[in-house]
Amino acid sequence: MTDRYCVVGHPIGHSKSPQIHAAFATQTQQDIDYQAIEAPLEGFVTTMQAFFAQGGRGANVTVPFKQQAYEWADTLTERARRAGAVNTLVKQSDGSLLGDNTDGAGLVTDLHYHHVALRDKRIMVVGAGGAARGVLLPLLEQEPALLMIVNRTEQKAQQLAAAFGEAGPITSHAVDKPMVAPVDVIINATSASLHQSHPPLPQGAIGPATTVYDMVYQAGCTTSNQWAQRQGAGRCLDGLGMLVEQAAESFAIWRGCRPQTERVREQLREALS
Ligand code: ATR
């Protein structure tokens, strides 16, 4: 029998996950059905209960339901607990639902794919919302020299740094405090590019050896990355690879085999341009 999976969100019309998972299934010869489901804003749990009652084996969860999935899951992985959000639900053999979060692993795998060094490097995470929280633990696991959180609303950066204090070398840095030296890697976890904008950064954060990674992706260069290039960033990357890698990680958890991502990356990039 074909195993059923889905991505649930609101809205969900533009989700690329069905296309990505269909490609993974073909490549690995797995017999799965993966659909996009739009749950009503007040109907996440009801929609998911129906999906799993009808034999669903797993689900991806996207905006705005990641926190509800975190609260609803029966058990959580450590990385989901740390993220405070669930993007992957897995039906267990005893019928319970495990909540996991593959977003941070997706980011780290994509950075490795692009040969961006993280160990002993100075990393700046910009933003202090759910997207930022979701990647902090996987980034700290890469053993950076220091991870700095910068946010337009400084208090939120301070709170986030405090919450992860014992997980590694992490601190907050005020936007209006200039940097002594440029950082090695900047992870832009804000939604600024979606608003055709860029986040404010401390003066001197970007240098010619800095890699800037915008978790958003857009046709061509994202708005924030265009700005970062003008500031002299050595290299700019967007979040398309992260999207594919977080999906590959979910697929591997569900199916026990890891798909190759290169061709899917190329297909999505072509479709964007
Ligand atoms: P998500 O869960 O996707 O991270 P969020 O919780 O709304 O979404 O957080 C959005 C993040 O992007 C926040 O850090 C926000 O900064 P504030 O905390 O100051 O609101 C940041 N952000 C959004 N638009 C921005 C912009 N134009 N410039 C700078 N930061 C922006």
Side-chain angles (χ1 to χ4, degrees):
M1 210 180 76
T2 305
D3 289 334
R4 289 182 59 214
Y5 297 87
C6 73
V7 56
V8 58
H10 185 115
I12 202 66
H14 295 293
S15 172
K16 303 200 184 317
S17 293
Q19 184 190 340
I20 295 171
H21 284 276
F24 289 165
T26 305
Q27 180 206 117
T28 57
Q29 299 182 310
Q30 296 279 310
D31 183 19
I32 70 162
D33 175 68
Y34 186 110
Q35 300 291 332
I37 297 179
E38 183 163 295
L41 283 175
E42 302 301 322
F44 169 73
V45 170
T46 321
T47 303
M48 284 291 90
Q49 279 170 337
F51 175 75
F52 284 109
Q54 288 157 19
R57 297 285 300 270
N60 283 135
V61 182
T62 188
V63 181
F65 299 128
K66 289 185 189 185
Q67 257 176 309
Q68 277 186 61
Y70 166 84
E71 279 151 28
W72 186 57
D74 297 306
T75 49
L76 295 168
T77 61
E78 170 66 6
R79 60 189 183 182
R81 194 181 66 72
R82 278 293 190 170
V86 158
N87 82 333
T88 304
L89 287 163
V90 190
K91 183 88 171 247
Q92 305 292 90
S93 51
D94 66 359
S96 67
L97 283 169
L98 173 69
D100 199 351
N101 193 313
T102 65
D103 284 332
L107 170 67
V108 168
T109 306
D110 194 37
L111 288 165
H112 287 158
Y113 179 91
H114 290 290
H115 306 290
V116 178
L118 300 172
R119 184 179 302 261
D120 297 329
K121 299 297 179 190
R122 292 163 70 242
I123 302 177
M124 179 176 280
V125 170
V126 192
R133 172 175 278 270
V135 300
L136 292 182
L137 185 64
L139 285 173
L140 285 171
E141 283 172 352
Q142 298 303 305
E143 299 179 7
L146 181 62
L147 199 159
M148 287 159 269
I149 308 179
V150 167
N151 193 46
R152 181 175 62 179
T153 312
E154 190 184 348
Q155 198 192 3
K156 287 203 246 169
Q158 290 167 344
Q159 286 167 352
L160 207 48
F164 281 79
E166 86 288 8
I170 185 167
T171 184
S172 61
H173 189 101
V175 172
D176 56 9
K177 188 175 157 203
M179 303 293 298
V180 178
V183 296
D184 299 300
V185 182
I186 296 177
I187 307 294
N188 178 2
T190 75
S191 46
S193 287
L194 297 177
H195 309 119
Q196 282 73 52
S197 180
H198 67 82
L201 288 186
Q203 199 190 336
I206 297 180
T210 306
T211 297
V212 178
Y213 189 108
D214 191 347
M215 282 167 59
V216 169
Y217 61 86
Q218 289 169 334
C221 190
T222 71
T223 314
S224 293
N225 279 354
Q226 286 176 31
W227 174 80
Q229 273 175 355
R230 290 199 296 276
Q231 305 307 304
R235 195 177 183 202
C236 291
L237 300 166
D238 74 9
L240 194 72
M242 175 179 172
L243 173 76
V244 177
E245 294 298 345
Q246 62 79 29
E249 178 86 3
S250 295
F251 190 92
I253 291 165
W254 291 329
R255 307 304 298 179
C257 62
R258 178 165 282 277
Q260 299 199 333
T261 55
E262 179 113 30
R263 186 77 198 104
V264 179
R265 287 167 174 273
E266 287 168 4
Q267 282 166 350
L268 289 185
R269 187 67 70 189
E270 275 165 31
L272 258 190
S273 56

